[in-house]
Amino acid sequence: MRITMVAAEATPFVKVGGLADVVGSLARLFVQLEHEVELILPGFSQISREKYGFADAELLPFRYAGREVNVRMQRAKHEGVDVALVHEPDAFERSGVYDDATTKDGYSDNPDRFAFFARVAAEVIANRPPDVVHCHDAHAALVPALLHWVLAWRIHQRIPCVLTIHNLAYSMPARKEVLFDVGFEKHDFFPMSPLEYYGHANFLKTGIAFSDAVTTVSERYAHEIQTEEFGAGLDGVLRSKRESLHGILNGIDTTEWDPAKDPLIPARFDARRLEGKQKCKAELIQAAGFDKYGGNGNVPIVGMVGRLVDQKGLDIFAAAVPHLLDWNVRFAILGTGQEKYHHFLSDLSRARPDKFAVYLGFNNELAHRIEAGSDLFLMPSRFEPCGLNQMYSLRYGTIPIVRRVGGLADTVIDHEESRGRGTGFVFDAPTKDALLKKMWTSIHTWHDPNERTRIIQRGMMQDFSAERSARRYLELFRGLTGG
Ligand code: ADP
């Protein structure tokens, strides 16, 4: 099959969050499973042209916002994937990918930037139609509509389009004029049309309406987003597509995240030989500065890695902190995000360096070291489409404590509920009390070495490989292409 993937991020080129991991590994896996893959990305200045050998390629002329434009594509082949960048410096050469690096605010013209990106991607696709188009998130969501409405006259067959929603919360609402710039007709914008959302545009709504299949990144999230509570205003549209809405759990890159081979951690280990994990913990204790305060090996370390935003339940954690100060437990926290959490966490680590080590920044190596060196891993998310860190934790023998939402609920089995099968700890209510209660149980259980080892080993045996996930996408594609 020829598959064209359209996304804003993909490893190793540019990464802000889990989207990049998933798109990057799916592209490579489709190639390994003997398909031809073209991956279209915005030409962000953060993508090193030199490192990956990008060279100038075709020039695409088309009409945009009432004028003729000529857009340069840049191309490189990487691990068998044909990677195509939309080289448009005005749109993509900025200090950040989505947000200004200094002010941390989202760029106000993000809808214009990604509408433009989608139009260029649709041009590339129309010039050489693949068997299936796989779009990711709101940044690419206009592509199916552009192919089926704006560029249909140039394409002889209907190209099946799949839209994968990694996070419904970022649906890209926009002024309706953006749609006219990108090529849609004014008369196609009317109340209840696929282009309209309460008088404005909403890229994800349009993408959902025009795609042949919509997927999201866990089974549970596929159900949750059809409810008002999790639907972010799009639950009605999603319910109307229920027949073609699928949950395909994300997988993890088991080559990059493999405690038996990981070059980024101080010692290697696997489910049968866990001694290396003790070394990783000892190193984390040192790096975090906890060694100064004694009581080391016996004090559990709870890791937290990720975006420091409301979605991740940082407010629930913050409410629990005053209670945690009296507990015999330590936290190693890595992340970036909302200013209020930066302040909160840096104040906390300054006031209580014996209990809280905080690194505010993006640091992949440290993410690996925290996953390897922690005993427990906390994810109190308010919602979580899939989540990757709990899967990394399971693989690294670090027992996850998670809220029962989305992919967290699909990947972690609660120890108390299913004695003998548990891989972690799961709590329900988005409250500090529910979190504290579960943490208390998890720490108590962790202090029993036999119980602890059994939970760790069960977790390490789970298969969350991205290959499993890639094969499910391919099955879906085959169903749509009839091949
Ligand atoms: P989301 O996509 O909502 O941010 P996921 O758990 O799906 O959350 O994926 C987050 C990915 O980004 C993981 O690979 C995680 O390790 C990584 N990550 C997030 N924040 C940081 C950080 N500050 N430093 C290093 N890696 C990070």
Side-chain angles (χ1 to χ4, degrees):
M1 240 181 308
R2 269 197 66 224
I3 305 163
T4 295
M5 299 175 74
V6 189
E9 303 171 37
T11 52
F13 310 103
V14 58
K15 166 164 166 171
V16 176
L19 170 66
D21 294 297
V22 178
V23 173
S25 59
L26 274 182
R28 289 188 290 277
L29 283 163
F30 291 155
V31 169
Q32 281 166 28
L33 296 169
E34 312 208 328
H35 298 278
E36 207 181 307
V37 178
E38 181 181 47
L39 169 63
I40 306 177
L41 298 169
F44 293 119
S45 45
Q46 287 78 4
I47 301 177
S48 166
R49 309 306 204 260
E50 206 185 319
K51 184 166 171 194
Y52 301 108
F54 281 99
D56 281 354
E58 76 269 29
L59 210 50
L60 299 172
F62 58 94
R63 241 186 122 64
Y64 194 88
R67 62 197 167 86
E68 300 299 325
V69 295
N70 251 318
V71 178
R72 170 70 69 197
M73 298 301 292
Q74 294 181 326
R75 290 181 178 268
K77 187 109 172 168
H78 186 80
E79 298 189 21
V81 179
D82 288 308
V83 188
L85 303 184
V86 176
H87 183 65
E88 180 65 16
D90 270 359
F92 303 125
E93 289 193 4
R94 309 258 176 112
S95 65
V97 169
Y98 308 121
D99 308 333
D100 185 286
T102 327
T103 65
K104 307 271 191 299
D105 292 330
Y107 293 113
S108 57
D109 63 347
N110 273 341
D112 304 84
R113 299 168 77 210
F114 291 106
F116 184 82
F117 168 63
R119 173 65 197 256
V120 179
E123 290 286 331
V124 173
I125 293 165
N127 286 346
R128 194 168 165 248
D131 298 305
V132 65
V133 175
H134 190 187
C135 299
H136 295 266
D137 271 351
H139 322 106
L142 290 183
V143 171
L146 286 164
L147 292 175
H148 298 331
W149 272 9
V150 177
L151 300 177
W153 60 276
R154 269 168 53 194
I155 309 168
H156 301 299
Q157 73 277 37
R158 185 182 165 96
I159 311 170
C161 293
V162 175
L163 172 67
T164 295
I165 300 173
H166 296 258
N167 194 336
L168 191 68
Y170 303 98
S171 64
M172 198 79 78
R175 297 171 293 117
K176 63 177 187 293
E177 287 72 21
V178 175
L179 298 174
F180 311 139
D181 288 349
V182 88
F184 293 103
E185 302 286 348
K186 287 204 169 97
H187 61 76
D188 285 329
F189 185 91
F190 52 85
M192 308 298 281
S193 95
L195 298 181
E196 190 262 0
Y197 184 77
Y198 295 105
H200 302 280
N202 182 298
F203 292 6
L204 212 49
K205 179 204 160 164
T206 300
I208 294 165
F210 276 92
S211 296
D212 300 274
V214 177
T215 74
T216 184
V217 290
S218 68
E219 296 270 0
R220 178 149 174 146
Y221 192 60
H223 291 289
E224 284 173 348
I225 57 177
Q226 296 179 52
T227 65
E228 208 180 319
E229 184 186 355
F230 292 98
L234 293 171
D235 44 300
V237 191
L238 286 159
R239 279 195 300 277
S240 71
K241 289 287 274 203
R242 131 173 7 105
E243 301 300 316
S244 47
L245 174 62
H246 310 267
I248 300 181
L249 189 73
N250 279 339
I252 57 174
D253 184 333
T254 45
T255 324
E256 193 201 335
W257 293 90
D258 180 2
K261 300 211 180 91
D262 192 337
L264 301 176
I265 59 177
R268 271 137 296 278
F269 56 95
D270 60 37
R272 272 165 291 124
R273 285 162 300 150
L274 284 165
E275 304 78 46
K277 185 160 175 72
Q278 286 316 310
K279 283 205 187 130
C280 293
K281 179 170 179 181
E283 193 264 357
L284 183 61
I285 289 172
Q286 286 256 322
F290 292 147
D291 52 325
K292 297 197 221 54
Y293 305 96
N296 293 323
N298 287 328
V299 185
I301 299 185
V302 181
M304 291 175 79
V305 176
R307 292 181 297 118
L308 304 172
V309 295
D310 297 335
Q311 177 201 329
K312 301 289 177 183
L314 262 291
D315 55 331
I316 305 171
F317 172 69
V321 160
H323 304 268
L324 292 168
L325 294 176
D326 300 329
W327 293 20
N328 200 19
V329 61
R330 287 166 165 162
F331 288 84
I333 305 174
L334 162 67
T336 54
Q338 289 169 263
E339 202 76 16
K340 60 180 177 182
Y341 296 126
H342 283 215
H343 286 306
F344 171 73
L345 291 171
S346 45
D347 289 351
L348 191 59
S349 66
R350 233 175 285 125
R352 294 301 300 268
D354 56 326
K355 289 209 179 306
F356 294 90
V358 174
Y359 181 96
L360 299 175
F362 195 94
N363 185 329
N364 186 45
E365 182 173 338
L366 189 55
H368 282 247
R369 293 171 109 89
I370 291 178
E371 285 288 7
S374 302
D375 299 297
L376 300 155
F377 196 91
L378 179 63
M379 293 179 78
S381 304
R382 288 192 169 273
F383 67 94
E384 194 63 76
C386 178
L388 295 173
N389 279 303
Q390 82 281 13
M391 294 194 261
Y392 301 151
S393 300
L394 288 167
R395 203 161 153 77
Y396 278 64
T398 302
I399 303 170
I401 308 163
V402 303
R403 242 199 101 209
R404 199 185 309 273
V405 284
L408 298 176
D410 285 356
T411 51
V412 181
I413 305 168
D414 183 72
H415 172 67
E416 288 180 283
E417 284 168 9
S418 59
R419 290 213 164 257
R421 274 198 329 121
T423 57
F425 294 87
V426 185
F427 65 98
D428 287 282
T431 61
K432 71 169 190 333
D433 292 331
L435 182 152
L436 287 166
K437 192 159 178 267
K438 220 21 137 179
M439 273 200 72
W440 185 260
T441 311
S442 67
I443 291 171
H444 182 76
T445 312
W446 181 85
H447 278 292
D448 174 342
N450 293 329
E451 198 78 299
R452 168 171 81 210
T453 308
R454 279 194 292 271
I455 299 175
I456 287 177
Q457 286 177 331
R458 276 196 296 271
M460 292 183 84
M461 307 293 206
Q462 306 281 311
D463 174 14
F464 292 119
S465 66
E467 183 170 333
R468 230 178 46 163
S469 156
R471 288 186 189 278
R472 286 214 48 204
Y473 280 104
L474 290 170
E475 248 170 66
L476 175 69
F477 297 166
R478 274 189 214 105
L480 295 174
T481 56

